[in-house]
């Protein structure tokens, strides 16, 4: 069974940095991503990575501030977040699985973690 476990969330001041980690020891596929969901909002794809091509994808809301990457052998998955803003406050989820569709669409991914909360004030 594929399990994804996020960590690294917390409460931080605006303008600071935070790095999220997603452990996925049983998934070595090529398609991984980070999503976030604020209360009352849809789950939003913010960063995706394709190991097959090396391509990365970012939403406009985080482009230039966030970076998706992985450790050796495709594990763990990281999300480096810089210059955090109050509007970045959300539950952050990692996702994995190579379905069809845009890399930032949630329907593409079969596997999900439980999330880690990020609060920026």
């Amino acid at each position: 069974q594929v399990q994804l476990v996020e960590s690294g969330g917390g409460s931080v001041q605006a303008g600071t940095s935070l790095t999220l980690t997603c452990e996925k020891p049983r998934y070595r596929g090529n398609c991984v991503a980070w999503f976030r969901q604020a209360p009352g909002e849809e789950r939003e794809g913010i960063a995706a990575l394709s190991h097959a091509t090396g391509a990365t994808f970012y939403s406009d809301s985080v482009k230039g501030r966030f970076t998706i990457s992985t450790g050796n052998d495709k594990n763990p998955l990281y999300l480096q977040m810089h210059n955090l803003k109050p509007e970045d406050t959300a539950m952050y989820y990692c996702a994995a699985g190579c379905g069809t569709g845009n890399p930032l669409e949630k329907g593409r991914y079969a596997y999900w973690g439980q999330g880690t909360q990020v609060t920026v004030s």
Side-chain angles (χ1 to χ4, degrees):
Q1 182 176 353
V2 175
Q3 287 188 310
L4 285 64
V5 180
E6 303 94 336
S7 62
S11 296
V12 297
Q13 296 288 322
T16 61
S17 300
L18 203 60
T19 296
L20 305 183
T21 300
C22 174
E23 294 284 352
K24 48 182 187 68
R26 295 183 178 179
Y27 182 81
R28 291 294 187 275
N30 287 326
C31 307
V32 289
W34 286 97
F35 286 72
R36 69 184 181 186
Q37 188 168 17
E41 301 289 333
E42 291 288 320
R43 190 167 296 191
E44 172 194 19
I46 57 172
L49 169 69
S50 170
H51 286 289
T53 63
T56 55
F57 308 86
Y58 296 96
S59 66
D60 288 342
S61 59
V62 307
K63 194 176 297 181
R65 299 188 298 123
F66 291 11
T67 302
I68 187 172
S69 63
T70 63
N72 294 333
D73 196 27
K74 303 179 183 178
N75 186 55
L77 178 68
Y78 299 109
L79 184 68
Q80 296 177 64
M81 307 185 293
H82 301 291
N83 189 24
L84 283 161
K85 305 175 181 180
E87 52 263 43
D88 294 318
T89 295
M91 185 71 79
Y92 283 70
Y93 300 89
C94 65
C98 292
T100 58
N102 185 295
L104 294 180
E105 290 180 354
K106 58 182 182 290
R108 177 181 175 89
Y109 300 96
Y111 308 110
W112 293 85
Q114 293 299 307
T116 186
Q117 177 68 37
V118 173
T119 303
V120 185
S121 61

